[in-house]
Amino acid sequence: MVPIPRKIRVLIAKPGLDGHDRGAKVVARALRDAGMEVIYTGLRQMPEDIVEAAIQEDVDAIGLSSLSGAHMTLFPEVVRLLKKRGSGEIVVVGGGIIPADDIPKLKRAGIKAVFGPGTPLGEIVSFFKKAGKGA
Amino acid sequence: MRHEDERKVLEEELKRWQETTLREALEALPERRKEFITTSGRPVRRLYTPLDVAGKADERLGNPGGFPFTRGIHPTMYRGRLWTMRMFAGFGGAEDTNRRFKYLIAHGETGLSVAFDMPTLYGYDTDEPEAKGEFGTCGVAVSSLDDMRILFSGIDVGGVSTSMTINSPASVIWAMYLVMAEGRGVPWAGLRGTIQNDILKEYQAQKEWIYPPEASMRLVVDTFEFGSKHVPEWNTISISGYHIREAGATAAQELAFTLANGMEYVRWGVDRGMKVDDFALRLSFFFNAHNDLFEELAKYRAARRIWAREMRDTFGAKDPRAWRLRFHTQTAGVSLTAQQPEMNIVRTTIQALAAVLGGTQSLHTNAFDEAYQVPNERAARIALRTQQILAHESGVANTVDPLGGSHFLEALTDELEAEAYRYFDRISELGGVIPAIRKGFFQQEIANSAYRYQREVEDKERIVVGVNDFVVDEQTEIEPLRVSEASFKAQVERLRKLRRTRDAKKHEQALERLFKACESDENTMPFILDAVRAKATLGEICDVMRQVFGPWEEPLLY
């Protein structure tokens, strides 16, 4: 019997109060169409909620989307809480309206990649595929 | 009879042209693509002729200022008065935004438009845990009457018209504005402005909701009722397609959902016992201006025609002013690219041109740096200058509806109108707007369109300059706009002082009375005003309502 390969599991989350969900939904759908198991949290998730959902759902990676400018507070908090819960291996990436200066800071805080406006979906899909294999 | 003869001649001529001139041309040079589509994916034919435009011109178009207002709501349009140049602005604390307002006024803007930050939009005070990290990032924080006073200090609130993009907590923010004006001795009867207050599109697209739909609608109708009696010049709603479009909808969906929402508000107002003529004059609209010039133009014209017909014939409005659809326009934020951002100035110009050719009453032009941040001063000024060039240099404001009569435009207007009516039927089949929201109908339609658009970009069926073609590898320099830590501290300190120094008993009683009013059928506006006068904060007032009305859980889909 050949084992059925486990599907890559991804959590797409909207941290904070930001209601702009177009990008998050498009990415969620592209990942699903690429054969991944996608869990979409919906809006207004506190970092604690996101981490809890990620652990419960046993995901390989988390995609955080924010267009309201709160990314510097919320994204690193998710990484910090994951580590605290012993789930630091879950890959965290971000997307949205992120000023260029913030990207190196986010990466230093453990955000593995930042996808700004205009990023091809294909690039995001291959990133998650790699992240899933590494898990 | 003569009409039919003319038609026959036209048909024959067209046929001859297709069989000879056109065929030869296509043989010599095939067209660039098999199908040409609009920004919304609508197929566009090679040529439009009078044959594509059905019906009688007087019924479809009328004259400007007359039913069905297809050509514009005023007889002279911009020859009489230019549109209001109204730049959406807000960041940081009230002091920061007050400075930006004065800057924009100094550079020639003619109306104010307030952008609030996320906590304010959700009815939280700056110092609440839910507000963490969100202070002033994409709008100004207004948690109390004191903030509102600072926001408008030194600005002639009796003279200027002020638009406020606020929805779920709209009645509270409006109350703060009214009490601010009252404190300065400006009578409410003369106040002009708009609160967005369009909750239906929040559930559909913008997602800044607090309470369930029915409770929210009751608050909206409370403002209609209160406004018609006490603040008669104020637009108590701006029924908005903008956010529906930004979330991914097509032009036809934007048109259809917005007008369906508009009619839903009219039904609720009538159900409250108001006469349609008593509140319909204060209903205003807000549309997007995307890249596809003719499609956008057709959308505005179809909107005016549908609204005029529905208000007159379906809702029985007698006052011709109630048939007129007045609208604000904002250029499409979603069209702005982070790549080669200067090109956004060009996109915005085309979009603003569509709004002006479409007969808008007021206009916001986006700044080129908005794929990165809330605009810096220079970018905001360029955006305003774009409008001034259109108004004073382009010549398009010299005549009324300059493109009216274009075969393409008229055919497109008819098509969009017909598509809107097909959507109205579907919404009715689902039980109306609110049941359709609960079923996730609008949300799924919008998500589907957004995904289809993105796939077209991915597959290069659609070219976005600088993004999937004409790409350059260069570092973009944008002068950053940062919200200062000092503004945050000042805001928190101001809130603490307010809570410390207000009359605790008066404050408590006002909130108790508001609680009871929310539980009853009474109009909530007078109680909200009293709570604001007693220095209750936005978060406190919304907490009372959250207790009474409960939360809203949206259907999860993508």
Side-chain angles (χ1 to χ4, degrees):
Chain A
M1 284 278 281
V2 181
I4 299 164
R6 179 181 175 276
K7 274 190 177 182
I8 297 168
R9 295 175 68 79
V10 179
L11 185 77
I12 297 294
K14 288 287 302 175
L17 298 177
D18 179 33
H20 297 94
D21 57 4
R22 176 178 183 161
K25 286 178 167 179
V26 167
V27 168
R29 198 143 155 184
L31 297 177
R32 187 183 66 189
D33 286 359
M36 297 178 212
E37 198 72 56
V38 179
I39 300 110
Y40 172 54
T41 62
L43 298 168
R44 295 193 218 175
Q45 303 293 308
M46 301 288 270
E48 293 78 5
D49 307 327
I50 294 168
V51 167
E52 183 60 35
I55 292 169
Q56 288 297 321
E57 295 284 352
D58 189 24
V59 299
D60 303 305
I62 303 175
L64 300 171
S65 161
S66 174
L67 288 81
S68 74
H71 51 274
M72 290 309 286
T73 311
L74 298 170
F75 290 8
E77 182 66 2
V78 170
V79 176
R80 194 186 67 80
L81 291 170
L82 278 173
K83 283 186 185 148
K84 199 175 144 196
R85 304 264 313 251
S87 297
E89 77 287 354
I90 298 177
V91 172
V92 182
V93 304
I97 301 292
I98 316 277
D101 297 358
D102 290 347
I103 295 173
K105 291 178 207 155
L106 287 171
K107 288 197 172 160
R108 277 200 295 278
I111 308 299
K112 288 287 186 292
V114 176
F115 301 110
T119 307
L121 286 175
E123 192 182 318
I124 300 175
V125 168
S126 29
F127 183 93
F128 277 99
K129 275 187 179 159
K130 267 189 227 150
K133 283 203 183 101
Chain B
M1 201 61 206
R2 192 164 156 256
H3 185 72
E4 272 172 29
D5 288 346
E6 273 173 21
R7 224 182 142 80
K8 219 166 203 169
V9 173
L10 281 173
E11 272 168 10
E12 278 164 15
E13 276 175 9
L14 187 64
K15 208 172 160 212
R16 199 158 44 235
W17 174 79
Q18 282 165 341
E19 284 163 0
T20 56
T21 318
L22 175 66
R23 209 178 64 198
E24 285 161 28
L26 288 174
E27 276 164 13
L29 179 70
E31 290 178 337
R32 286 183 292 116
R33 356 174 36 120
K34 247 174 118 174
E35 193 181 41
F36 289 78
I37 55 167
T38 65
T39 298
S40 300
R42 173 179 299 281
V44 177
R45 293 197 290 280
R46 176 180 301 113
L47 179 76
Y48 289 79
T49 71
L51 297 169
D52 296 303
V53 187
K56 291 181 186 150
D58 54 341
E59 281 169 19
R60 282 186 297 105
L61 301 180
N63 281 314
F67 190 88
F69 303 96
T70 313
R71 306 201 67 183
I73 61 163
H74 298 300
T76 62
M77 286 306 291
Y78 307 131
R79 288 169 68 99
R81 188 170 58 204
L82 288 168
W83 64 92
T84 303
M85 298 181 192
R86 192 189 290 285
M87 304 299 282
F88 188 43
F91 65 95
E95 296 90 344
D96 302 308
T97 300
N98 177 263
R99 268 195 301 278
R100 176 63 66 86
F101 283 166
K102 287 173 177 165
Y103 174 86
L104 288 166
I105 291 169
H107 284 90
E109 90 161 341
T110 49
L112 292 175
S113 174
V114 190
F116 295 98
D117 73 353
M118 285 291 171
T120 307
L121 294 170
Y122 288 113
Y124 294 117
D125 293 338
T126 297
D127 56 357
E128 291 188 73
E130 289 85 353
K132 200 177 167 193
E134 311 263 14
F135 165 78
T137 55
C138 57
V140 59
V142 173
S143 307
S144 76
L145 176 61
D146 288 358
D147 299 341
M148 189 63 91
R149 284 180 173 152
I150 294 167
L151 185 60
F152 287 94
S153 74
I155 292 168
D156 173 21
V157 291
V160 77
S161 83
T162 303
S163 170
M164 294 190 277
T165 297
I166 190 80
N167 292 282
S168 236
S171 50
V172 186
I173 291 290
W174 190 36
M176 287 181 185
Y177 191 86
L178 295 176
V179 174
M180 176 272 296
E182 183 179 80
R184 285 166 60 170
V186 181
W188 289 354
L191 287 180
R192 288 181 306 120
T194 306
I195 40 174
Q196 195 165 80
N197 205 20
D198 171 12
I199 198 65
L200 293 171
K201 65 90 175 59
E202 295 299 329
Y203 302 112
Q204 296 162 347
Q206 187 167 241
K207 309 294 174 72
E208 286 152 10
W209 26 257
I210 306 178
Y211 328 109
E214 291 79 4
S216 298
M217 286 298 277
R218 177 254 179 118
L219 293 175
V220 172
V221 182
D222 284 353
T223 64
F224 290 179
E225 204 176 34
F226 185 86
S228 69
K229 288 183 196 137
H230 304 285
V231 203
E233 295 290 301
W234 196 276
N235 299 314
T236 37
I237 194 166
S238 171
I239 305 155
S240 306
Y242 184 80
H243 322 84
I244 293 173
R245 190 68 178 280
E246 289 286 295
T250 63
Q253 288 168 338
E254 179 193 355
L255 171 71
F257 299 170
T258 308
L259 293 191
N261 292 347
M263 291 187 259
E264 187 67 11
Y265 291 116
V266 175
R267 276 182 218 110
W268 278 70
V270 171
D271 286 350
R272 176 71 65 95
M274 285 186 275
K275 279 205 198 103
V276 67
D277 284 303
D278 289 345
F279 68 96
L281 296 187
R282 303 287 22 129
L283 307 175
S284 62
F285 287 81
F286 173 21
F287 290 109
N288 196 295
H290 215 298
N291 286 330
D292 202 301
L293 188 77
F294 281 91
E295 185 171 50
E296 296 305 289
L297 265 167
K299 179 185 72 186
Y300 308 129
R301 301 168 97 252
R304 275 195 294 268
R305 194 152 78 201
I306 296 170
W307 191 248
R309 183 186 306 119
E310 294 301 321
M311 289 306 285
R312 190 186 72 174
D313 301 344
T314 306
F315 294 105
K318 300 274 182 294
D319 186 341
R321 291 176 303 166
W323 307 338
R324 302 186 311 188
L325 179 145
R326 299 172 297 129
F327 71 105
H328 171 69
T329 308
Q330 179 168 341
T331 56
V334 77
S335 73
L336 303 179
T337 62
Q339 296 74 17
Q340 302 179 54
E342 301 82 0
M343 300 312 123
N344 292 329
I345 299 172
V346 182
R347 293 189 179 96
T348 298
T349 306
I350 296 167
Q351 296 163 6
L353 178 63
V356 170
L357 290 171
T360 196
Q361 275 59 62
S362 75
L363 178 61
H364 165 93
T365 28
N366 289 324
F368 72 91
D369 59 348
E370 292 190 55
Y372 288 91
Q373 59 184 16
V374 169
N376 66 41
E377 215 167 65
R378 179 171 159 268
R381 192 178 66 198
I382 292 171
L384 174 60
R385 292 286 180 260
T386 304
Q387 294 196 39
Q388 290 159 340
I389 290 171
L390 282 174
H392 302 291
E393 297 185 24
S394 76
V396 295
N398 291 342
T399 187
V400 178
D401 189 27
L403 285 176
S406 145
H407 309 311
F408 177 36
L409 178 61
E410 299 301 350
L412 211 47
T413 304
D414 294 349
E415 267 182 42
L416 283 171
E417 181 182 8
E419 197 168 336
Y421 275 96
R422 284 196 290 277
Y423 268 117
F424 297 159
D425 289 344
R426 283 186 72 185
I427 295 163
S428 299
E429 283 160 21
L430 292 167
V433 173
I434 292 176
I437 287 169
R438 291 190 183 277
K439 291 180 178 116
F441 169 72
F442 303 101
Q443 300 91 315
Q444 192 66 62
E445 285 283 305
I446 293 168
N448 291 349
S449 297
Y451 193 59
R452 199 190 56 219
Y453 181 92
Q454 195 57 39
R455 291 253 58 114
E456 287 165 2
V457 174
E458 297 288 310
D459 301 342
K460 278 203 167 193
E461 282 169 31
R462 187 181 289 290
I463 298 301
V464 182
V465 174
V467 173
N468 65 357
D469 206 347
F470 313 105
V471 177
V472 292
D473 188 19
E474 67 179 15
Q475 206 49 33
T476 302
E477 293 293 329
I478 299 272
E479 184 198 330
L481 179 97
R482 296 284 178 186
V483 174
S484 77
E485 189 60 25
S487 296
F488 176 70
K489 283 187 181 144
Q491 164 78 359
V492 170
E493 186 41 47
R494 190 153 63 231
L495 260 170
R496 287 193 182 140
K497 194 178 158 207
L498 174 113
R499 294 200 187 103
R500 218 170 36 233
T501 55
R502 69 191 170 194
D503 181 333
K505 193 159 180 209
K506 208 175 135 196
H507 168 257
E508 195 186 323
Q509 285 171 346
L511 288 181
E512 272 169 22
R513 280 195 295 268
L514 174 65
F515 188 94
K516 283 188 190 129
C518 289
E519 281 188 317
S520 75
D521 290 335
E522 275 189 273
N523 190 311
T524 49
M525 269 312 288
F527 300 92
I528 299 170
L529 284 158
D530 277 345
V532 168
R533 290 186 188 107
K535 297 285 184 94
T537 66
L538 172 71
E540 291 163 351
I541 294 173
C542 291
D543 276 344
V544 167
M545 295 187 182
R546 274 185 266 259
Q547 279 179 54
V548 180
F549 301 139
W552 163 248
E553 301 285 344
E554 74 161 347
L556 273 187
L557 52 88
Y558 61 84

